[in-house]
Amino acid sequence: MPKIGKNPGVKKFVMRPDLYNAIQEKKVFAEASTHSGISAGVIKADWDAAGEVIRTWTTEGHSIPLPSLGTMRFGVRSKAVKIS
């Protein structure tokens, strides 16, 4: 049993994203193309456009809905920022 956190001995899941391998971008577009019937080139163009919108809106402080995943929002904790 894990001995971490406030309840040692209770089973927990600890996410460690550094354990996962990055999938090649072209493989993602090819898989999406297979599932949708839309060409990989069109999917890449859409993905690039969505990325620009997400980047712009998140840096303006908006929450971004990601269908089937949830909502993405970046925040800044006051203790993490040095105010001059």
Side-chain angles (χ1 to χ4, degrees):
M1 288 289 195
K3 304 288 184 195
I4 60 174
K6 294 180 182 179
N7 301 310
V10 176
K11 290 185 179 181
K12 298 173 179 70
F13 175 79
V14 178
M15 180 177 250
R16 298 210 28 169
D18 55 330
L19 296 178
Y20 301 104
N21 295 324
I23 296 174
Q24 290 182 348
E25 196 175 85
K26 65 182 179 180
K27 185 175 181 178
V28 174
F29 300 137
E31 188 72 16
S33 177
T34 300
H35 287 279
S36 67
I38 300 170
S39 77
V42 170
I43 291 174
K44 182 180 181 340
D46 291 342
W47 185 262
D48 291 342
E52 287 296 321
V53 171
I54 291 169
R55 183 176 16 262
T56 299
W57 288 355
T58 55
T59 56
E60 291 175 359
H62 300 286
S63 295
I64 308 297
L66 299 175
S68 302
L69 293 175
T71 302
M72 180 178 70
R73 181 172 186 270
F74 296 105
V76 177
R77 294 179 186 221
S78 60
K79 293 180 182 178
V81 177
K82 182 179 179 181
I83 300 174
S84 48

